[in-house]
């Protein structure tokens, strides 16, 4: 595959402090991972696909908390060669492998998360609640497609919460926001809530608790995410209905105990 922006193939240099921060806090924010030119090259196609493939037709004010949080469209790479270029980036995948401390990573799936103008809070949660994985070697890269001030609803993390097991059984909901807000504060996990510069991205572990404030601006918060897993990941017995759905949807035909080898989960680095 010939990439339109060769930057997506080049290495990004992680410092020792970046690796240490990720190990200690369960997330890291990295500046200048993508240039403004690269983002401008791919953002229109990603946005067009979100508009085309989005199935949410309920007015914002009539949705529940989850529905108000964002428009969510997954596996855009299956519908667009241009998005496939972006999602397949060796640059982004190599960072994931280095942070996880593994030799190789697979794609779990991509996911566009567009918080509309007036979109509400994204409640506290951990992504791995939804994923039937046998280990914690999975990570999400969160890529804003514009500069993201606090008013737009950037991702906020509970630093160090990847070690905290309370609340891992909670889906995104009003309950997760209430219960985890209190529990994380009681455990003194600092909340790191900062804007994102253009080209800055973050990586967070599957068990790192995070949330996001509302978007009070008059434009959508456009974000693309890619979820990576250790290439040797095995499937765990689903712990909830959401994991059962994920197993059937993202790893078709596989059973608990199997390695993840589905064509939907190609090795990216």
């Amino acid at each position: 595959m010939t990439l339109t922006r060769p930057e997506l193939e080049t290495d990004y240099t992680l410092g020792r402090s970046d690796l240490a921060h990720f190990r200690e806090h369960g997330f890291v924010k990295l500046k200048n991972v993508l240039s403004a030119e690269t983002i401008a090259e791919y953002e229109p196609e990603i946005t067009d696909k979100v508009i085309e493939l989005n199935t949410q037709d309920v007015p914002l004010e009539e949705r529940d908390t989850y529905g108000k949080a964002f428009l969510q469209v997954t596996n855009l790479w299956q519908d667009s060669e241009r998005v496939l270029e972006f999602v397949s980036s060796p640059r982004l995948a190599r960072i994931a492998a280095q942070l996880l401390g593994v030799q190789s990573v697979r794609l779990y799936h991509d996911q566009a998360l567009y918080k509309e103008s007036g979109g509400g809070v994204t409640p506290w949660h951990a992504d791995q609640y939804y994923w039937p994985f046998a280990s914690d070697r999975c990570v999400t890269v969160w890529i804003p497609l514009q500069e993201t001030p606090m008013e737009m609803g950037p991702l906020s993390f509970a630093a160090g919460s990847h070690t905290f097991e309370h609340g891992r059984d909670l889906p995104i909901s009003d309950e997760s926001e209430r219960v985890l807000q209190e529990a994380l504060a009681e455990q003194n996990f600092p909340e790191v809530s900062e804007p994102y510069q253009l080209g800055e991205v973050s990586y967070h572990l599957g068990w790192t608790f995070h949330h996001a404030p509302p978007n009070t601006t008059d434009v959508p918060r456009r974000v693309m995410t890619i979820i990576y897993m250790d290439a040797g990941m095995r499937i765990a017995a689903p712990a909830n209905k959401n994991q059962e759905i994920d197993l059937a949807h993202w790893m078709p035909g596989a059973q608990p105990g199997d390695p993840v080898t589905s064509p939907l989960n190609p090795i990216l680095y």
Side-chain angles (χ1 to χ4, degrees):
M1 181 190 301
T2 302
L3 297 179
T4 306
R5 301 298 306 184
E7 176 187 58
L8 290 175
E9 290 188 311
T10 62
D11 288 349
Y12 178 88
T13 302
L14 282 175
R16 288 185 178 179
S17 61
D18 297 324
L19 293 166
H21 190 283
F22 185 80
R23 282 194 303 270
E24 180 179 353
H25 299 296
F27 79 96
V28 67
K29 292 180 73 178
L30 303 170
K31 295 185 187 299
N32 302 313
V33 173
L34 298 176
S35 66
E37 292 77 14
T38 292
I39 293 172
E41 192 80 39
Y42 290 94
E43 179 275 325
E45 176 73 0
I46 294 170
T47 296
D48 284 350
K49 286 297 168 184
V50 169
I51 293 169
E52 175 189 336
L53 300 171
N54 168 57
T55 58
Q56 176 63 267
D57 56 6
V58 177
L60 183 65
E61 62 274 9
E62 295 178 19
R63 299 179 209 160
D64 63 12
T65 299
Y66 188 103
K68 290 177 180 175
F70 40 63
L71 298 178
Q72 177 175 287
V73 184
T74 52
N75 269 12
L76 275 66
W77 69 269
Q78 293 182 293
D79 289 275
S80 166
E81 286 290 325
R82 301 280 286 127
V83 178
L84 176 60
E85 287 181 8
F86 189 82
V87 170
S88 299
S89 165
R91 179 181 182 88
L92 296 172
R94 180 173 179 267
I95 294 171
Q98 289 180 296
L99 291 173
L100 290 173
V102 300
Q103 292 296 312
S104 180
V105 291
R106 291 182 182 273
L107 174 68
Y108 187 37
H109 55 77
D110 71 42
Q111 189 163 281
L113 298 172
Y114 277 41
K115 190 181 287 285
E116 298 151 281
S117 174
V121 63
T122 305
W124 281 107
H125 67 283
D127 297 341
Q128 201 165 340
Y129 162 83
Y130 293 92
W131 305 339
F133 293 161
S135 87
D136 68 349
R137 294 296 88 187
C138 52
V139 67
T140 299
V141 59
W142 201 81
I143 309 165
L145 301 175
Q146 74 290 302
E147 187 173 346
T148 309
M150 293 306 300
E151 295 78 19
M152 200 174 271
L155 211 55
S156 302
F157 304 95
S161 62
H162 59 298
T163 63
F164 187 50
E165 296 188 6
H166 180 73
R168 288 184 176 183
D169 59 342
L170 295 174
I172 298 175
S173 60
D174 291 325
E175 181 188 11
S176 72
E177 176 72 1
R178 176 180 53 78
V179 171
L180 287 166
Q181 182 78 46
E182 183 177 327
L184 294 167
E186 283 179 354
Q187 296 296 316
N188 295 315
F189 291 114
E191 181 178 347
V192 179
S193 190
E194 300 167 342
Y196 283 67
Q197 299 173 6
L198 187 65
E200 184 174 20
V201 310
S202 61
Y203 285 76
H204 63 270
L205 283 169
W207 285 125
T208 301
F209 288 107
H210 54 284
H211 72 162
N215 178 8
T216 59
T217 72
D218 57 3
V219 294
R221 186 209 69 186
R222 293 157 292 152
V223 170
M224 186 63 173
T225 69
I226 306 166
I227 303 157
Y228 305 93
M229 62 182 124
D230 179 2
M233 181 66 76
R234 289 187 176 272
I235 299 168
N240 55 57
K241 286 288 185 184
N242 288 288
Q243 290 189 10
E244 291 177 11
I245 293 168
D246 259 34
L247 175 55
H249 196 67
W250 304 120
M251 298 169 285
Q255 301 295 324
D258 290 349
V260 179
T261 55
S262 162
L264 292 178
N265 310 116
I267 290 177
L268 297 182
Y269 175 79

